[in-house]
């Protein structure tokens, strides 16, 4: 199913407010196979000014994983509802917003970027957040690559989630 979230021609499009949450710390998390959990520090609250407003959500994640061949998946949440995810196919496949496949390289550096135009249809405070999991219960390390040593070739990165209210 293809869905269109275009704004009406000649109407709206003005950015009414922008909110952002950043995570600059190194965060590690050992996940339970295919069980999504919140990514620490990557949630943002916004209160739309009109029920007709759209919320444009964008995010960037930089992370690495332990050795192995498996999938790292993320999903975007509005409150407790997953949004911007794929359709259900079969009974075992997780519905995600992004996925990267790792190979056997130790501590492979990875990144994910995405944008989604949401229609929350509310003027109540709304929380957008990111969750992650992997397919084999490995450890994921946010804002770190390869080795966590104090050396010039091991940079520290940052991640963010940004929401923009767009007038409809």
């Amino acid at each position: 199913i293809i869905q269109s979230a275009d704004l009406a021609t000649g109407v709206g499009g003005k950015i009414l407010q922008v909110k952002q949450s950043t995570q600059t710390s190194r965060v590690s998390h050992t996940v339970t196979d295919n069980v999504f959990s919140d990514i620490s520090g990557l949630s943002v609250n916004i209160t739309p000014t009109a029920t007709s407003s759209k919320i444009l959500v964008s995010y960037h994640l930089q992370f690495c994983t332990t050795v192995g061949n498996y999938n790292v998946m993320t999903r975007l949440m509005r409150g407790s509802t997953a949004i911007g995810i794929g359709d259900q196919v079969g009974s075992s496949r997780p519905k995600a917003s992004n996925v990267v496949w790792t190979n056997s390289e130790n501590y492979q550096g990875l990144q994910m970027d995405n944008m989604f135009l949401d229609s929350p249809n509310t003027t109540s405070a709304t929380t957008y957040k990111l969750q992650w999991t992997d397919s084999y219960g490995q450890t994921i390390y946010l804002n770190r690559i390869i080795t966590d040593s104090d050396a010039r070739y091991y940079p520290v990165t940052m991640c963010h989630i940004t929401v923009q209210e767009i007038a409809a």
Side-chain angles (χ1 to χ4, degrees):
I1 297 174
I2 298 174
Q3 297 177 338
S4 177
D6 295 336
L7 297 172
T9 303
V11 178
K14 180 180 177 183
I15 297 174
L16 302 177
Q17 59 177 317
V18 178
K19 306 279 184 167
Q20 184 178 67
S21 178
T22 60
Q23 176 56 276
T24 58
S25 298
R26 294 180 314 277
V27 175
S28 65
H29 181 67
T30 302
V31 298
T32 303
D33 300 2
N34 289 328
V35 175
F36 285 93
S37 60
D38 295 351
I39 301 176
S40 174
L42 290 176
S43 68
V44 64
N45 297 315
I46 190 168
T47 303
T49 58
T51 57
S52 60
S53 291
K54 307 290 186 190
I55 304 296
L56 181 62
V57 183
S58 61
Y59 58 89
H60 169 76
L61 299 175
Q62 183 77 45
F63 56 95
C64 70
T65 62
T66 51
V67 67
N69 294 304
Y70 57 93
N71 304 329
V72 176
M73 297 161 271
T74 62
R75 69 180 179 188
L76 177 60
M77 303 292 291
R78 181 195 335 111
S80 60
T81 302
I83 60 173
I85 57 174
D87 291 336
Q88 186 67 51
V89 177
S91 60
S92 299
R93 297 182 192 186
K95 297 190 298 184
S97 300
N98 285 81
V99 62
V100 291
W101 293 268
T102 66
N103 62 26
S104 58
E105 183 180 332
N106 193 25
Y107 293 96
Q108 180 179 7
L110 305 162
Q111 71 178 32
M112 289 184 181
D113 296 278
N114 207 344
M115 294 181 81
F116 182 73
L117 187 62
D118 188 32
S119 301
N121 193 32
T122 187
T123 55
S124 298
T126 304
T127 301
Y128 290 90
K129 64 184 176 179
L130 293 171
Q131 294 185 328
W132 58 4
T133 190
D134 75 28
S135 54
Y136 291 104
Q138 299 296 310
T139 300
I140 306 170
Y141 300 92
L142 197 66
N143 293 328
R144 151 185 166 182
I145 61 171
I146 308 171
T147 302
D148 197 23
S149 296
D150 187 13
R152 65 174 190 227
Y153 30 81
Y154 299 128
V156 177
T157 59
M158 63 85 66
C159 301
H160 73 84
I161 180 170
T162 304
V163 295
Q164 301 176 64
E165 180 184 5
I166 312 294

